């Protein structure tokens, strides 16, 4: 007696669940280039980001900012927006999640930040995130992603990451989010496992910068 | 207890309530933990991941299509098609009033035509809202993204407040109906006729042509089968439906704002407007599909409950009351930011 309606109800539940799980979705795409800046003692002292926004968001964000109406956006015209960007990024942990020696790396207030627009008025936000406590020497990862998936971060294909003042023997690479994981699959057991995924799952989703020094 | 003679109805009602809970729990999950705590990520694989990937594709294709439409007017048709598809996919995401409309339909005499009409109207209002925002703020006033963002925030607060108020009125109405049916069931007397008690006591039999030839008497409990005269004549339904449409529609969708802002920057604002309407058509279809699911679920519950006179009636009234409570809860979670609506990059 219960079987019939229960089955119907569960089917409905699965369908609704599916759409609910797809809820967070990006409106903004950011192409990331990052640089790890080393201190004299060979530890990383800052992460220098250059984030290029997609053209739609750039058009939205620069609305009304071309104060001299010359069709070009100068650094000065964009200064206030850059200020707002870095101020409000704090709430989101700058979308940058560092780890070193098994511990979280915390970042301080951004320095040297500005926005620049290219000829199509596509925006790039430059900012430097200082590392608060010295990370372990020679080993560090930085994930750049929005855990709430409203902003889609991916590293640039060309020169995604660089090292500044690095000691000899240090290499860095970038691994993007697991592309294969976005292929369509059935609503299988793994679908429900995903719904209860812990933070480890997030790193699979992230773009990760990995530093190794010999 | 007589009510347990129809465990199916009870189970279904409970599952529906649980699902409604899960919908916003998943929303809250998508919002993620506060920073500083371990961040959670939404599931990238399976159905959800596929929807995400498709949306991203459409969105990128959209911006390319707007560029093309600028260079060549006839490319605009491709843009409208893309906008339609994007709207359909995009509406599987947050906002767009799916949850509120579905909960409302469960609460208030749901029919499929109503579900479709409400979904379409909500999508249309959302399109108008985005066009008005970008048209007035950006085009006429030269406002900044920040000013537009603040405007959206105010619209959100207004919309969510309306959802709460609307839910409270609905809950008051449905709560009383629930109590009446409960009393009627316990005392074995039919519930007293009430002027504000829509279409429940007309004892219409359901032999009208829907093809499901069940011949049992629906007693006081049949109303979820289609556009019946009593339903469509109004009795407050239209008023409440429009209130629901307005409450969910006045918050413009971020995708439409971005398309409009980009079209404006390319000097083809009107193409952006047309594209926004195409998007609304796609959104309406997706929201309608989900609304229809809610209607069908309620219909199944109603049919199951129909056989068991009073107890089934109590279950259905309880379900409707729960639907109204879900509307309130959704409003509260939205206004407190506990469930994610939409966010762009912070500006």
């Amino acid at each position: 007696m219960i079987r019939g309606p229960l089955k119907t109800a569960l089917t409905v539940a699965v369908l609704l669940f599916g759409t609910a799980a797809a809820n967070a979705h990006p409106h903004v795409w950011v192409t990331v280039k990052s640089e790890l800046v080393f201190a004299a003692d060979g530890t990383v002292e800052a992460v220098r980001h250059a984030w290029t926004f997609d053209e739609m968001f750039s058009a939205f964000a620069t609305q009304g900012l071309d104060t001299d109406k010359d069709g070009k956006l100068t650094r000065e015209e964009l200064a206030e927006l850059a200020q707002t960007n870095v101020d409000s990024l704090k709430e989101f942990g700058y979308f940058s999640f560092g780890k070193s020696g098994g511990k979280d790396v915390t970042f301080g207030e951004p320095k040297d930040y500005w926005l620049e627009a290219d000829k199509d008025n596509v925006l790039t936000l430059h900012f430097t995130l200082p590392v608060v406590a010295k990370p372990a020497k020679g080993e560090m990862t930085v994930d750049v992603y929005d855990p709430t998936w409203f902003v889609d971060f991916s590293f640039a294909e060309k020169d995604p990451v660089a090292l500044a003042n690095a000691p000899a023997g240090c290499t860095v690479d970038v691994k993007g989010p697991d592309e294969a994981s976005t292929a369509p699959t059935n609503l299988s057991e793994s679908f429900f496992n995903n719904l209860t995924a812990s933070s480890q799952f997030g790193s699979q989703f992230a773009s990760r910068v990995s530093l190794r020094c010999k | 207890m007589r009510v347990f003679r129809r465990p199916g109805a009870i189970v279904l009602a409970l599952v529906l309530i649980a699902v409604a809970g899960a919908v916003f729990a998943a929303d809250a999950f998508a919002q993620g933990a506060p920073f500083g705590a371990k961040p959670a990520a939404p599931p990238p694989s399976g159905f959800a991941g596929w929807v995400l990937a498709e949306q991203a594709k459409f969105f990128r294709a959209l911006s390319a299509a707007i560029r093309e439409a600028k260079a060549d007017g006839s490319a605009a048709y491709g843009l409208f098609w893309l906008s339609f598809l994007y709207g359909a996919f995009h509406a599987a995401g947050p906002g767009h009033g799916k949850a509120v409309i579905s909960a409302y339909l469960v609460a208030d005499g749901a029919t499929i035509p109503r579900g479709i009409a409400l979904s379409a109207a909500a999508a249309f209002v959302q399109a108008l809202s985005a066009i008005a925002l970008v048209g007035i703020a950006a085009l006429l006033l030269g406002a900044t993204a920040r000013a537009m963002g603040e405007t959206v925030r105010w619209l959100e607060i207004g919309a969510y407040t309306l959802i709460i108020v609307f839910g409270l009125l609905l809950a008051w109405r449905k709560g009383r109906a629930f109590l009446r049916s409960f009393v009627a069931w316990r005392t074995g007397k039919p519930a007293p006729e009430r002027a504000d008690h829509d279409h429940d006591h007309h004892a219409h039999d359901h032999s009208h042509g829907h093809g499901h030839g069940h011949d049992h008497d629906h007693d006081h409990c049949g109303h979820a089968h289609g556009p019946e005269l009593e339903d469509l004549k109004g009795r407050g339904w239209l008023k409440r439906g429009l209130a629901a449409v307005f409450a969910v529609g006045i918050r413009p969708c971020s995708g439409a704002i971005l398309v409009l802002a980009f079209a404006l920057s390319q000097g083809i604002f009107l193409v952006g407007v047309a594209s926004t309407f195409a998007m609304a058509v796609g959104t309406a279809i997706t929201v309608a599909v989900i609304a229809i699911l809610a209607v069908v679920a309620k219909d199944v519950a109603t049919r199951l409950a129909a056989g068991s006179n009073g107890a089934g009636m109590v279950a259905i009234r309880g379900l409707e009351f729960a639907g109204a409570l879900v509307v309130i809860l959704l409003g509260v979670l939205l206004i407190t930011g506990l469930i994610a609506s939409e966010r762009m990059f912070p500006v």
Side-chain angles (χ1 to χ4, degrees), chain A residues 81-91 94 109-110 113, chain B residues 346:
Chain A
L81 180 60
Q83 182 68 49
T84 318
N85 280 159
V86 292
D87 286 350
S88 34
L89 275 173
K90 185 175 186 179
E91 185 190 336
Y94 307 99
E109 304 270 316
Y113 45 88

Side-chain angles (χ1 to χ4, degrees), chain A residues 154-197:
Chain A
S154 58
F155 273 86
E157 284 181 11
K158 194 168 171 283
D159 307 327
V161 64
L163 298 175
N165 311 327
C170 288
T171 53
V172 69
D173 64 30
V174 165
K175 211 169 64 194
D178 186 7
E179 293 290 336
S181 68
T182 56
T185 53
N186 305 334
L187 286 180
S188 61
E189 199 182 332
S190 69
F191 174 76
F192 291 101
N193 292 343
N194 290 347
L195 286 174
T196 57

Side-chain angles (χ1 to χ4, degrees), chain A residues 4 7-8 12-13 18 32 37-38 53 63 67 75 77 81 86 100 110 120 124 126 132 159 166 178 193 200 207:
Chain A
K7 207 174 162 190
T8 314
V12 172
V32 179
V37 184
F38 287 79
F53 298 96
Q63 206 63 244
T67 41
R75 211 157 136 166
E77 283 170 327
L81 180 60
V86 292
S100 179
D120 294 322
T124 299
H126 298 266
V132 173
D159 307 327
D178 186 7
N193 292 343
Q200 282 172 306
S207 296

